[in-house]
Amino acid sequence: MKTGEFKDIILSNYKENGRVFPWRTNLDPWGIMVSEFMLQQTQTERVVPYWERWMERWPAPVRLAQASLEDVLREWSGLGYNRRARYLKETAVRIADSHGGIVPASPDQLRELPGIGTYSSQAIACFAYNYPAVFIETNIRAVYIHFFFQDKAGIQDAEIFPLIKETLDPENPREWYWGLMDYGAELKKITPNPSRKSAHYTRQSRFEGSLRQVRGAVIRSLVSDGPCDRDTLKARTGIGDSRLDEALSALYGESMVAEKDGIYRIP
DNA sequence: GTCCCGTATC
DNA sequence: GATACGGGAC
């Protein structure tokens, strides 16, 4: 596949079948940032209603910076990976305190913020400021593997990056990446996930019966029904003693839960 | 069971 | 490089 032909396919598909999301219609950098936090490991369809409520309630970083973690987690409840909510709030505080309330435009500055790694720093710079970043995530990976590594296994991202750089539209990287992601998402519906052939592909551990599940139940109980002692928490959630203590200990260590005089709450 | 627009931590 | 981290949809 020639890269010129490849680019035509991706862009024409985007023109005809490109997805519409609120964070694509409204290009406010804060909205883009919120969407990228929520989209880390969470499907777009699930994110949409959360994003709408979130932006209604906290339309700017300085607003979220003033919110309590309890309110933030309550709004996040159901999205999963609750630490992301805390990172987003901490990032909002940093933006309010050190960036004049403005979402930074450079990937290097974004990368310094809590909860923002190699992917998100590049993606936010690209989508918020149309910066021609070179980055990869699951849908982009699927697209390049599908078109350029059809018969190969154990593909390294390092092999894909040169192609991403070569095919990137420096004039409009934002639309180009939207197109890539949309094509990748579509691809996975009609073929076995090409990303399985990536060297970086890993299966997720079982959720049912996991500590992850227990932790989620603890957070959900504390934000929906308020602070309480351990026995009340046990009664509310039906979690066994050892699992409950294990979860509480881990959450306490991550500052996701606080404890005073035997009463647990969101810090 | 599979998948999800990854990050932090070791 | 490996592992933990939610939760819902299909």
Side-chain angles (χ1 to χ4, degrees):
Chain A
M1 167 82 56
K2 286 207 183 334
T3 55
E5 185 187 351
F6 168 69
K7 286 156 80 167
D8 287 345
I9 292 171
I10 300 301
L11 283 177
S12 64
N13 178 260
Y14 177 71
K15 306 285 185 209
E16 291 170 30
N17 308 310
R19 297 176 293 180
V20 176
F21 297 118
W23 52 86
R24 289 186 179 184
T25 306
N26 180 346
L27 296 176
D28 168 31
W30 170 239
I32 303 283
M33 174 174 266
V34 170
S35 78
E36 288 301 337
F37 270 83
M38 291 182 170
L39 288 165
Q40 291 167 359
Q41 298 290 284
T42 304
Q43 291 94 331
T44 52
E45 318 83 69
R46 287 183 55 200
V47 165
V48 171
Y50 283 86
W51 186 92
E52 301 275 18
R53 285 194 297 269
W54 195 279
M55 295 304 291
E56 184 79 21
R57 184 165 185 178
W58 299 301
V62 289
R63 305 289 296 280
L64 179 62
Q66 294 164 348
S68 70
L69 181 58
E70 186 181 359
D71 282 344
V72 169
L73 284 174
R74 188 176 295 116
E75 207 65 61
W76 192 271
S77 186
L79 268 182
Y81 293 129
N82 297 306
R83 286 185 298 203
R84 289 184 297 172
R86 203 194 66 212
Y87 289 141
L88 180 51
K89 174 178 157 48
E90 289 169 1
T91 279
V93 169
R94 290 268 294 276
I95 291 174
D97 292 349
S98 308
H99 295 279
I102 306 296
V103 173
S106 83
D108 286 346
Q109 282 183 304
L110 288 162
R111 182 67 183 80
E112 299 296 311
L113 300 169
I116 296 183
T118 51
Y119 162 76
S120 298
S121 61
Q122 304 289 327
I124 293 169
C126 175
F127 295 131
Y129 297 104
N130 210 26
Y131 175 87
V134 177
F135 57 95
I136 191 170
E137 46 68 66
T138 183
N139 288 317
I140 299 171
R141 187 179 289 122
V143 170
Y144 283 90
I145 289 176
H146 174 75
F147 281 102
F148 299 103
F149 300 91
Q150 195 85 67
D151 302 316
K152 198 172 182 303
I155 302 141
Q156 298 282 343
D157 282 350
E159 303 177 68
I160 301 178
F161 272 111
L163 283 166
I164 299 178
K165 188 175 291 191
E166 185 187 339
T167 50
L168 174 63
D169 177 1
E171 296 305 312
N172 198 350
R174 182 151 49 200
E175 271 199 16
W176 170 246
Y177 278 106
W178 284 344
L180 281 176
M181 290 171 157
D182 291 358
Y183 200 96
E186 195 57 35
L187 208 50
K188 291 176 184 175
K189 294 178 185 170
I190 57 179
T191 69
N193 186 358
S195 289
R196 288 189 185 186
K197 294 190 291 182
S198 165
H200 311 283
Y201 180 82
T202 51
R203 269 189 188 72
Q204 203 173 40
S205 58
R206 182 186 176 83
F207 177 64
E208 197 61 33
S210 68
L211 187 62
R212 213 153 88 237
Q213 184 181 37
V214 173
R215 291 166 49 109
V218 168
I219 296 293
R220 193 159 49 248
S221 174
L222 290 178
V223 298
S224 66
D225 296 330
C228 66
D229 61 24
R230 186 186 167 289
D231 286 345
T232 303
L233 199 51
K234 180 168 151 60
R236 281 187 193 169
T237 60
I239 300 166
D241 288 300
S242 64
R243 305 285 285 163
L244 180 58
D245 289 339
E246 198 179 349
L248 281 173
S249 170
L251 289 168
Y252 181 84
E254 295 167 24
S255 300
M256 290 296 288
V257 166
E259 183 269 332
K260 189 178 192 311
D261 301 328
I263 302 297
Y264 292 91
R265 61 177 174 81
I266 303 299

